[in-house]
Amino acid sequence: MSTTRSGTQTQRPATLVWIRRELRTVDLPALDAAVKRGGPVIPVFVRGPDEEQGGWADGGAARWWLHHSLHALQSATRALGSPLVIRAGDTVSTLRALLQETGADLITFTHRVEPAAVALATRVARELPSEGFDGDLLWTPRDIATKAGNPYRVFTPFSRRCLAAQAPAASLPAPASLFPPASPVTSLPIEALRLLPSVPWDAGLAARWTPGCVEAQRATMAWLTSSAV
């Protein structure tokens, strides 16, 4: 919120948080930046077929995992106060439409390093008001590079450079809450993305794995403490 000279308060424009593969609310600098701006925060997931895969379509197990991870993220954002908005289609066109629908004036997102993902983020940055943040790697490629500034091609010197690097920054907590937009934003149901298999072969996955950030954190801590996962 901001205050005018007359003493009345005006609300800041909304921020769209474009969620890519980092399906979480914890330790997410793009989300943290949106919250700190003030105003409504609108988490958005866009299912743009193959835009970030470089021609490699998701397999059945990956699609199953995405379906259930989106449900977990949707529950988390709803509990924080601003439900996840789900759309499908060309990412740039979809985000542009959402800016117009919501009155948002900025898109925040997390950098990725895969060539197709970098190309898509470059399009977003070129065509829409946006700001990218590191937040999906322990160190960025800028941090772990040869003296010439190039990526390592041999594992041993790469591993030594990682071990000698400065410790990653402390993780960010999930926000206490998200300020929602004034009016609900139209969203597709997750089922409309048709991520689940048409033939129910996934019972074994469901019996062994639990997608979502909460379970990922539990499994990580179990591994770090050498407990049974």
Side-chain angles (χ1 to χ4, degrees):
M1 304 288 285
S2 60
T3 304
T4 66
R5 290 186 179 183
S6 64
T8 59
Q9 288 188 326
T10 59
Q11 183 175 293
R12 290 182 182 274
T15 303
L16 302 182
V17 182
W18 172 32
I19 304 290
R20 305 172 80 183
R21 290 291 183 174
E22 62 292 350
L23 304 175
R24 63 183 190 272
T25 58
V26 177
D27 198 22
L28 193 57
L31 179 62
D32 184 66
V35 172
K36 288 178 178 176
R37 285 189 79 215
V41 175
I42 307 172
V44 177
F45 177 83
V46 181
R47 179 67 172 171
D50 300 335
E51 285 182 301
E52 300 195 74
Q53 281 92 335
W56 294 88
D58 288 336
R63 290 163 62 88
W64 176 89
W65 194 278
L66 177 59
H67 174 93
H68 292 289
S69 294
L70 285 172
H71 270 291
L73 179 61
Q74 190 176 63
S75 296
T77 56
R78 184 180 291 116
L80 291 174
S82 187
L84 178 68
V85 173
I86 296 173
R87 297 286 177 93
D90 175 77
T91 296
V92 173
S93 299
T94 301
L95 291 175
R96 181 182 290 113
L98 279 167
L99 288 172
Q100 296 171 347
E101 289 176 34
T102 63
D105 67 346
L106 182 68
I107 301 165
T108 62
F109 65 91
T110 301
H111 289 301
R112 293 177 59 187
V113 297
E114 303 87 344
V118 171
L120 178 58
T122 300
R123 274 189 66 205
V124 170
R126 183 175 61 244
E127 300 184 32
L128 303 173
S130 58
E131 185 176 359
F133 295 83
D134 296 322
D136 213 28
L137 301 170
L138 289 175
W139 297 281
T140 71
R142 301 185 303 275
D143 300 322
I144 308 297
T146 65
K147 292 181 179 179
N150 299 317
Y152 282 96
R153 298 185 178 214
V154 179
F155 177 75
T156 299
F158 167 76
S159 64
R160 288 174 180 163
R161 179 69 183 86
C162 289
L163 292 173
Q166 183 176 354
S171 63
L172 296 166
S177 62
L178 298 176
F179 188 50
S183 301
V185 182
T186 303
S187 177
L188 289 173
I190 296 171
E191 285 68 25
L193 301 180
R194 299 190 176 185
L195 297 168
L196 294 179
S198 56
V199 177
W201 55 262
D202 53 330
L205 290 176
R208 181 66 180 86
W209 301 102
T210 304
C213 179
V214 172
E215 176 61 17
Q217 289 179 300
R218 186 208 66 78
T220 300
M221 291 307 301
W223 177 71
L224 289 173
T225 57
S226 300
S227 300
V229 177

